[in-house]
Amino acid sequence: MPNRIARVELIRFAFETEGLGLPSHGAAGVGNVVARKGSTISSQRWAVRIETEDGARGEYVTHWIGTPASFAQAAMLAPHLVGRNPDTREAIWQDLRREVRAYDHMGHGPLDIALWDLQAKRLGTSVSALIGGYRTRLPTYASTYHGQDEKGGLDTPKAFADYAVACKEQGFSAFKIHGWHGGDAKLEAKNLLGVREAVGDDFPLMIDPASQLRTWLDALYVGHACDEADYLWYEDPYRDTGGAVEGHKRLRERLKTPLLVCEHVRGVEAKAAFLMAGGGDIIHADPEYDMGITGALKIANFCMALGLDVQYHACGPAHRAVMAATPNTRFYEMALVGPDMPNVVPPVYGPDYSDQPDAIGEDGCVPVPDGPGLGVVYDWDFITANATDTLTFGGPG
């Protein structure tokens, strides 16, 4: 009788980050924070622990998808793990994918990641080694917070240019702009051109308007500026929210800068169809967004079959593991950072792991954790002490 999953625990918890605040409209969201001296922002993430009958445990703490919506989806899925053989990750992945077929799949990824952590720990190895990781250091780029309208942080094109120079001098391997939420095409073009002038011609630059440009013509206008400034890629530019294949195909036909697409298109089949239809040059994947390490590797392998690159979105120990095993990818994204603006990642890691800017080595890289499982040690005392909601499925731990 194979070892079975006995218990799944989901813990939602809160933490605070100093030096940041909410924008004037007061609504939190992806990238919707500003630099504000003396202020503190409160955030929530959630953790998962999967325990088997023999007491082995797989763990993961969310980063970008640690939202109430994804927590609720994970709560829908967690009961389906109890009693399953944890070694049958592919069968579990297929079943969970079907179970949330009517939703956005955001609760699926952390469960799959925790299963990989569990398997690697039981085998006494790292997830990176288990999936074929061949590199131990990852070239890393600074991925900025969005521009802000109030004074402070990245509030002007000069502030972006100065910060890009600082990141280059610190040793980052590249720099990516997230511009203003207003979607002003002329301001975005001015900004990206100014950053290029400030850092010189030898430093890789990218831009992600995060679907804030208002129209296709706005996207074309900013794309021409990308061409002029020799940007490495141009990402999810306008208000189609990254889903219009035909619009992106026509954009590609008129630009030389490669388009990075599909951050918000879920699943290998949909991403494959987008790419095959001519909608982009590089595909985004994310082990949190794209149904775990299992899903992210499927996307990377599809891109490799076409001889194209994949780019992993955002940061975290699972992201480092998959990047270490993916030859057709270039940079690790440290998102999000800014001048005197820490990355809002949960403070739950031991001293050997960080996604803050001071983790960058002299070689412009961050290390791939090589300890058991994901290679990180979580501060479960902090998580449980700051828990706002705990759900348990299955028997006692």
Side-chain angles (χ1 to χ4, degrees):
M1 185 74 174
N3 195 32
R4 302 285 176 174
I5 296 171
R7 171 186 166 98
V8 181
E9 186 177 29
L10 305 176
I11 306 173
R12 194 172 168 210
F13 65 96
F15 64 96
E16 294 186 340
T17 307
E18 296 181 355
L20 301 175
L22 294 178
S24 57
H25 56 67
V30 177
N32 290 356
V33 298
V34 297
R36 186 176 295 144
K37 290 183 178 180
S39 180
T40 299
I41 189 171
S42 181
S43 303
Q44 293 207 4
R45 300 291 188 268
W46 54 272
V48 55
R49 292 193 284 198
I50 300 174
E51 189 168 317
T52 57
E53 293 166 337
D54 63 358
R57 180 179 289 172
E59 307 168 319
Y60 186 66
V61 176
T62 59
H63 277 201
W64 276 53
I65 67 162
T67 63
S70 66
F71 184 78
Q73 280 192 30
M76 292 170 57
L77 293 173
H80 296 273
L81 296 178
V82 177
R84 298 290 294 264
N85 177 354
D87 295 342
T88 60
R89 287 182 304 279
E90 179 64 28
I92 292 172
W93 188 85
Q94 295 287 351
D95 290 345
L96 297 191
R97 181 173 69 151
R98 181 191 177 279
E99 194 64 30
V100 287
R101 64 196 183 280
Y103 305 97
D104 63 8
H105 297 278
M106 285 298 188
H108 183 172
L111 300 178
D112 179 83
I113 294 168
L115 287 172
W116 280 96
D117 181 69
L118 170 67
Q119 176 72 343
K121 286 175 178 174
R122 291 172 65 197
L123 295 174
T125 189
S126 67
V127 171
S128 171
L130 188 62
I131 61 177
Y134 68 94
R135 50 181 163 179
T136 60
R137 298 190 63 78
L138 307 175
T140 300
Y141 71 88
S143 184
T144 74
Y145 280 100
H146 285 269
Q148 61 186 71
D149 296 324
E150 59 186 82
K151 187 173 178 56
L154 298 166
D155 56 357
T156 63
K158 184 179 186 306
F160 270 98
D162 290 346
Y163 187 56
V165 171
C167 288
K168 180 182 179 182
E169 292 176 347
Q170 183 182 341
F172 275 99
S173 296
F175 184 86
K176 187 171 82 177
I177 297 167
H178 287 98
W180 284 266
H181 290 296
D184 183 332
K186 290 186 177 180
L187 176 60
E188 297 298 336
K190 176 183 177 181
N191 190 35
L192 73 87
L193 291 168
V195 170
R196 170 55 74 203
E197 182 178 2
V199 300
D201 296 334
D202 61 340
F203 189 55
L205 295 175
M206 302 83 82
I207 184 168
D208 177 8
S211 300
Q212 290 288 16
L213 297 172
R214 273 20 188 191
T215 69
W216 184 90
L217 285 173
D218 289 339
L220 183 64
Y221 180 88
V222 173
H224 285 316
C226 290
D227 288 353
E228 179 182 343
D230 193 25
Y231 268 53
L232 189 64
W233 72 62
Y234 181 29
E235 188 174 336
D236 282 339
Y238 69 108
R239 280 292 180 108
D240 74 306
T241 67
V245 177
E246 187 64 24
H248 283 81
K249 179 181 177 182
R250 294 179 185 226
L251 202 58
R252 282 185 66 233
E253 291 169 351
R254 291 161 173 82
L255 300 175
K256 69 176 184 179
T257 304
L259 290 186
L260 173 57
V261 295
C262 290
E263 178 180 333
H264 304 294
V265 174
R266 295 280 77 79
V268 63
E269 296 90 351
K271 289 176 189 278
F274 201 104
L275 197 58
M276 294 299 290
D281 302 288
I282 313 168
I283 287 289
H284 243 147
D286 183 324
E288 287 196 344
Y289 281 23
D290 289 307
M291 294 170 271
I293 290 171
T294 302
L297 291 176
K298 290 177 188 292
I299 295 162
N301 288 333
F302 167 76
C303 291
M304 189 186 303
L306 295 180
L308 296 173
D309 284 2
V310 64
Q311 181 62 43
Y312 290 113
H313 166 262
C315 58
H319 300 67
R320 295 193 193 189
V322 293
M323 184 174 173
T326 303
N328 55 321
T329 193
R330 183 162 179 181
F331 290 125
Y332 178 75
E333 180 177 15
M334 186 170 286
L336 297 168
V337 294
D340 298 319
M341 300 174 74
N343 194 2
V344 185
V345 295
V348 296
Y349 299 101
D352 296 331
Y353 183 88
S354 173
D355 275 310
Q356 299 297 345
D358 59 7
I360 297 297
E362 293 181 358
D363 59 353
C365 297
V366 294
V368 179
D370 60 2
L374 290 169
V376 295
V377 177
Y378 293 117
D379 185 347
W380 287 102
D381 289 339
F382 178 91
I383 292 170
T384 55
N386 292 277
T388 60
D389 195 4
T390 301
L391 302 175
T392 302
F393 306 89

